[in-house]
């Protein structure tokens, strides 16, 4: 079936979230498990890709020298990269990702040439017909698409329509794919537990091969397409005759699921790895002639045999990738072989591409600005979500103790969420709760020189910082935000509590910036990234570039434009509460009037309201008259505040409240009940 696919941008009407990753400017090392490997044997360059979404290029000649093997990174994917293939004699790399895209890269220069958005779910596997320059992609959407590589590399912004063939008939998610060099046969493995076989030239279904009892995770097919090797989570490896349409040999080598296979060109020896962390070498014609080549420190996800059959690369769920020599003189063979306790031929790899630590735990502190994390090296790090940077590396500290030491009795609403799937902190901002957190500028260290204490919105400030370089946010004049006030409303009386918000600035938010290398991602909530072309995410500093700027114009949702372009501050969160005399005050219980105020209103302001309005104190004007002149407004406020604190106590659940505490903190830490917050007051004798 032919599918005509045009690269178009997704509709901005979808529910969109903004995400960004807190990271170093150059992420040299694989941060988490490595899913795929490719080797350019002529240029001695290894390509690795995996869970941190980054494809990296390494010089394999420098692995054992003092020179750094890292060459460069290829970044555009926003989720795990599950598979890669090197085509066109090493000039082109194709990648498949859980962000649902297939990307086409210039492998020599390291940039993305085009993005294919045909899949509707995670893309898990690729297959390559070398003699035909054809690639197939498959994944959890049960679809297999065939791509002509030469057509893909010729795509441009103006010529971006791709015609592809689709192979249908899979009943379940596809995890493995194989195609022979000539492109005459293609085989898929899935959670359906069967192998399905097609002729990619006609898209005709050829057969279904049954035998495995679990997911088929690895597939190989020989050059002429007559035999296939499959590895399954059921722990077995099976050899199939395509002509006879049956399994002709079953190899029980591993104690657990088989996830990776490689074979020599003659299809006479295979190498297997999987969940048991072991790499075995097996003679297909004489299965007794097998031995344990090496043991890894993590489950083996992918194996890659070098072109000269002298070494095998192993990628695991850990971040380092090892290169092991292949022995023609195994330590234990045939009758000498111990199935229960085999001894590996090699205990040390010949070369290693060293990986870096990945974050495995995190804790958001009460200030909803800082995060403590622990990584695979046991290191604890303090991060600033607002400035998108590392604050301090605390070394191998006790995470629980650090959390205790930094926890304060302050309540700030949740305004972001976190995920660790790339091994780094990825922060998600969603329209529904992004603007929930209002704070005092002084409380967060952004106090102004004029002594004012404007109220700041964490989400609003961060969005302005993330899009600071987007020209659309710069062409603004100063605006008056005096209407942004929080009002304490009773049924009879009102006390205005003015909240000052700084005027607009021409760039960013006027308080802080985020690092220019911070990746910013726009995506459907829980779904696919939105950008068309190559760019499914951009670096913060690149928002000013022409191409990225145009993409942002089409992609940024209205709720983000409102705060970054129009500078419309979000509304304050309101909190309802009741105010009653305390039982020990001797005063009669009042008619229950439901009050409402900004949730970050300080207890002090409620005490002033009680002092001035509820108890009807009128000594301010007398003090002013006796002083011989009108006091400035600020001094009047200070007088009321100090007198209120001298004369009034405010309580919640019989606990006297600190005047500096805000209402949301009182409700969260002290009220702890259902229904509206109730506060009690009494005069201090």
């Amino acid at each position: 079936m032919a599918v005509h696919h045009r690269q178009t941008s997704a509709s901005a009407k979808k529910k969109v979230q903004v995400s960004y990753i807190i990271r170093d400017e150059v992420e040299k090392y694989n941060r988490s498990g490595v899913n795929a490997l490719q080797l350019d044997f002529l240029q001695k360059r290894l390509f690795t890709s995996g869970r941190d979404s980054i494809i990296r290029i390494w010089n394999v000649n420098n692995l054992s020298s003092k020179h750094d093997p890292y060459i460069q990174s290829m970044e555009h994917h926003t989720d795990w990269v599950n598979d890669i293939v090197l085509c066109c004699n090493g000039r082109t790399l194709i990648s498949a990702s859980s962000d649902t895209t297939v990307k086409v890269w210039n492998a020599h220069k390291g940039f993305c040439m085009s993005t294919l958005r045909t899949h509707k779910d995670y893309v898990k596997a690729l297959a390559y017909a070398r003699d035909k320059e054809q690639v197939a992609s498959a994944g959890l959407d049960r679809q297999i698409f065939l791509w002509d590589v030469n057509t893909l590399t010729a795509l441009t912004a103006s010529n971006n329509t791709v015609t592809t063939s689709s192979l249908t008939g899979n009943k379940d998610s596809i995890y493995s794919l194989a195609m022979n060099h000539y492109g005459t046969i293609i085989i898929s493995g899935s959670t359906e537990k069967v192998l399905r076989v097609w002729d990619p030239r006609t898209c005709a279904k050829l057969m279904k091969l049954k035998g495995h009892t679990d997911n088929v995770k690895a597939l190989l097919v020989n050059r002429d397409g007559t035999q296939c090797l499959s590895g399954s989570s059921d722990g077995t490896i099976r050899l199939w005759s395509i002509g006879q349409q049956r399994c002709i040999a079953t190899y029980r080598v591993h104690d657990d699921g088989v996830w990776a296979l490689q074979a020599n060109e003659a299809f006479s020896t295979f190498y297997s790895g999987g969940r048991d962390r072991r790499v075995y070498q097996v003679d297909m014609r004489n299965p007794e002639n097998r031995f344990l080549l090496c043991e890894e420190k993590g489950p083996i996800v992918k194996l890659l045999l070098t072109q000269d059959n002298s070494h095998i690369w192993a990628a695991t769920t850990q971040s380092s990738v090892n290169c092991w020599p292949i022995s023609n003189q195994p330590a234990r063979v045939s009758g000498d072989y111990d199935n229960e306790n085999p001894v590996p031929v090699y205990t040390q790899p010949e070369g290693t591409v060293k990986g870096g630590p990945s974050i495995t735990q995190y804790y958001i502190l009460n200030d909803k600005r800082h995060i403590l994390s622990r990584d695979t090296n046991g290191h604890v790090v303090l991060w600033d979500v607002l400035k998108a940077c590392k604050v301090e590396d605390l070394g191998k500290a006790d995470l629980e103790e650090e959390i205790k030491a930094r926890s304060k009795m302050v309540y700030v609403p949740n305004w972001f969420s976190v995920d660790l799937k790339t091994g780094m902190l990825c922060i998600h901002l969603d329209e529904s709760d992004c603007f929930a957190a209002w704070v005092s500028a002084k409380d967060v260290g952004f106090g102004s020189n004029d002594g004012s204490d404007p109220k700041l919105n964490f989400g609003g400030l961060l969005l302005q910082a993330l899009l600071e370089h987007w020209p659309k946010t710069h062409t603004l004049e100063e605006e008056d935000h005096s209407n942004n006030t929080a009002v304490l409303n009773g049924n009879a009386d009102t006390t205005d509590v003015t909240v000052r918000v700084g005027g607009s600035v021409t760039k960013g938010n006027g308080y802080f910036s985020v690092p220019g290398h911070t990746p910013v991602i726009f995506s459907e909530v829980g779904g696919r990234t939105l950008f068309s072309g190559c760019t499914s995410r951009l670096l913060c500093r690149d928002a000013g570039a022409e191409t990225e700027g145009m993409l942002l114009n089409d992609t940024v949702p209205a709720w983000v434009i409102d705060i970054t372009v129009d500078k419309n501050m979000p509304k304050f969160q309101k909190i309802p509460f009741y105010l009653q005399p305390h039982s020990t005050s001797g005063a009669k219980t009042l008619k229950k009037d439901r009050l409402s105020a900004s949730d970050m209103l300080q207890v002090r302001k409620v005490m002033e309201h009680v002092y001035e309005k509820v108890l009807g104190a009128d000594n301010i004007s007398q003090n002013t008259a006796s002083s011989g002149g009108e006091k400035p407004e600020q001094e009047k406020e200070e007088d009321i505040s100090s007198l209120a604190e001298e004369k009034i106590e405010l309580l919640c659940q019989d606990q006297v409240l600190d005047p500096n505490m805000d209402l949301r903190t009182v409700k969260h830490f002290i009220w702890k009940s259902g229904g509206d917050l109730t506060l009690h007051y009494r005069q201090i004798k």
Side-chain angles (χ1 to χ4, degrees), residues 141-162:
D141 60 1
R142 310 175 186 183
Q143 297 292 310
I144 301 173
F145 294 107
L146 298 171
W147 309 96
D148 177 75
V149 179
N150 293 319
T151 301
L152 296 183
T153 56
L155 290 176
T156 63
S158 56
N159 176 26
N160 61 359
T161 303
V162 189

Side-chain angles (χ1 to χ4, degrees), residues 3-23:
V3 177
H4 302 284
H5 175 63
R6 185 172 178 78
Q7 307 296 95
T8 55
S9 59
S11 168
K13 292 178 183 176
K14 300 279 188 184
K15 194 174 180 185
V16 176
Q17 70 180 10
V18 183
S19 309
Y20 63 100
I21 299 166
I22 305 176
R23 48 163 284 182

Side-chain angles (χ1 to χ4, degrees), residues 31-48:
R31 280 284 203 154
S32 198
V34 177
N35 292 332
L37 304 166
Q38 285 286 278
L39 184 65
D40 185 333
F41 198 69
L42 293 176
Q43 297 204 15
K44 305 297 181 187
R45 300 201 310 169
L46 179 74
F47 294 79
T48 63

